[in-house]
Amino acid sequence: MSDDTGGKDENSAVLKTREQYLEDIEEEWPEQTDGFGTWDAWNAIRTFCNYHSRLYVAIAIPRRLPPLYVQSRWFSEPIKAMILSDGTFTHNSFKKPGLLHTVQKFIKRMMRLKISPWILLQDVGPIPGLDNPKEHVAPANGFLEPEAAATPTLAEAAAMEKKPNKHEGGPLGPLNCIRSLQHSQAPRSEVERYGSGYQDYLQVPLQPLTYNLESLTYEVFEKDPVKYDLYEKAIKQALVDWKKEHKPTSGLSGHVVVAVCGAGRGPLVTRALKASEAANVPISLWAVEKNPNAFVLLQRHNREDWNDKVTLVQSDMRSWRGPFEAGPSGAKQNIPIDILISELLGSFADNELSPECLDGMVHLLARPHGISIPRSYTAHLTPIAAPKLHADVASRTPYEPTAPETPAVVWLHAVDFLSTTPTPGATGSTSSATKTSSGSSTTPSEPLASFLNATPNVLKAWSFEHGPVNDPEPHQQQLLLPSAITSPNTHNARHVRLRFRTRYRGVCHGLAGYFESVLYPGVELSTNPNTMDAKSRGMISWFPIFFPLKTPLYFPSASALDVSIWRQTDGRKVWYEWMIESWRWNLLRVGGVGKGDGGEKGQKGKERDEDGKGEKDWSMVRLGMTELHSSIKNGCLM
């Protein structure tokens, strides 16, 4: 982890077409430190070894750590041991060893990994007991020694006070310093305690339409109070606004008709009843669930907890004909749904087929004032370096050939975000990104200066919205029919191309996917690391999704990663396809090019040079690309 000197910043100069310019640049090119020199050597070794899952690295910790962007890169690597020598420690006037705050912070961060690395002390002083038997420290055997268990006398206690503080130095000083770091660790948050066993552990996404979920799976989801608090808040606000705006109700009895589709074991039903009571708005509540095992528990809740206030329906929501009430003549007649509630979101928003499920419910929503909770959701992406995950995927490939093309749910921990942007108020810039899909905004792409105060650059891929269709277009007519389940589903296909600007060279192992959702105006939930704390802090229901790469993509400094991803469907199942390209700006000075020269322009065209003698060609050159990955073999069945 120590810095390598002698490397030159390959982006600090502009290549010229004339040799005299090259000579001038060589003379003025200063010596700079390359923080990734050691990492390059390690990357070459593990690449030659094909990312073997049992290959690890040990790093020596210097007294002053390299910049944070270098630390972040090493944090993502499979570090087995950290070596601390005498030069790593500082000493105060009492010769008490200590560590700089930056070193303490890095070591504490490594200690919070699922499998924390060993800490080896090297050349920090004599070994206790080797030269003086009186200083020998007996190894721990799990039993308390008799003399330690006895209460000391007053004379012994006074003698103990006169002994010098062992933390002021001596042969155990460095060891006590490390022990102090361990004891001063902040307690784990609720999210960390919940996901402690899931750090960087790949899981196959759920397919609730194909398989009935087990009771244990429901129980895990129901442990998240944050999500259901937000749902209750959204339902309550919708009912309050309904009453405030004097909207007509669909119920013949004057009650607001509420339907919970995909009710599971009933947590949303309970929250809907609480919201109705808090808002003082009566509701007619329906719960639809296709899982027969969960439906049995719904019946029990309805008898014992809900006082038979809920009408239960065992059916696939897409084939349900909707709620009904007895008319004046006593005959049953179908009525629209005023508020439709569902919790069908996946780690990438739509990967558990929420759009396909809710398409079959659109024709049941009251028009024009019907409400869907959630109202909309968007998928987000960012490229990451995750060598541990790549090694895990590679080790599974021999007995699971589709592993490199199967998106996996994983609690991302030991990863490095390859594209970052500075937080508001930070000086300089770390990275920026440009969205190249049509109709999208573009973020300025300035070179980054420091990783300090930087946050991952997570871009929006696509979105889905749900609500009543008032004046449907021809392609939306099928959504108003109960037979929408048999539609070609082409309206739910998506494609986007995103550009991520990177400053430092590295290796991309895949894409991290997140989502944001608007349950109701003013109530949102998110797994996006940039907005999660503000919208749904402490939510544990969803882990990010990881789109792996068969072959890692290396890219140089000051380059761009273009991510293309598709959401494909054939009417029977839904799958994703993705690929990544690396580009670099061609900073060439083209002399003698006039306006009417008719030369081929690059992606950003050409700009007039400052001296007016030529133009700068800002066209981009493709450096490499991955193959097209497709999860069609493990697509989510409709």
Side-chain angles (χ1 to χ4, degrees), residues 96 101 120 127 271 274 277 313 315 331 348 380 385 395 404 491 522 551 596 620 638:
K96 176 183 176 181
H101 178 70
L120 305 181
I127 301 177
R271 296 297 182 132
K274 290 182 178 180
E277 183 178 355
V313 179
S315 170
F348 199 50
H380 295 73
S395 64
H491 60 283
T551 304
M620 299 189 70
M638 298 172 57

Side-chain angles (χ1 to χ4, degrees), residues 102-120:
T102 53
V103 179
Q104 295 182 28
K105 189 175 180 180
F106 180 78
I107 295 178
K108 285 184 177 181
R109 188 181 181 192
M110 299 298 295
M111 287 179 177
R112 300 184 86 86
L113 290 172
K114 180 171 63 174
I115 302 178
S116 58
W118 301 336
I119 299 178
L120 305 181

Side-chain angles (χ1 to χ4, degrees), residues 3 6 50 105-106 151 158 175 212 231 256 267 286 350 363 399 442 460 519 542-543 606 629:
D3 295 345
N50 294 325
K105 189 175 180 180
F106 180 78
T151 304
L175 180 59
N212 291 325
Y231 263 97
V256 178
W286 294 70
D350 53 78
H363 67 284
Y399 58 88
T442 301
K460 174 184 173 181
L519 298 180
W542 293 278
F543 290 152
K606 297 179 180 179
H629 299 70

Side-chain angles (χ1 to χ4, degrees), residues 381-402:
L381 283 170
T382 188
I384 60 173
K388 293 182 181 179
L389 296 181
H390 180 77
D392 190 3
V393 172
S395 64
R396 298 184 183 192
T397 304
Y399 58 88
E400 191 178 344
T402 59

Side-chain angles (χ1 to χ4, degrees), residues 456-495:
N457 185 21
V458 184
L459 291 185
K460 174 184 173 181
W462 51 64
S463 63
F464 290 90
E465 295 185 5
H466 300 287
V469 182
N470 299 326
D471 297 316
E473 300 292 336
H475 70 279
Q476 294 177 318
Q477 290 287 351
Q478 60 181 356
L479 301 182
L480 302 182
L481 302 175
S483 60
I485 188 174
T486 61
S487 67
N489 197 39
T490 55
H491 60 283
N492 285 326
R494 295 289 189 274
H495 167 240

Side-chain angles (χ1 to χ4, degrees), residues 357-413:
C357 291
L358 294 181
D359 278 350
M361 305 296 298
V362 172
H363 67 284
L364 300 178
L365 270 179
R367 288 182 283 172
H369 48 266
I371 297 174
S372 174
I373 299 176
R375 184 174 183 174
S376 64
Y377 38 87
T378 59
H380 295 73
L381 283 170
T382 188
I384 60 173
K388 293 182 181 179
L389 296 181
H390 180 77
D392 190 3
V393 172
S395 64
R396 298 184 183 192
T397 304
Y399 58 88
E400 191 178 344
T402 59
E405 294 185 295
T406 303
V409 175
V410 56
W411 185 28
L412 299 174
H413 194 72

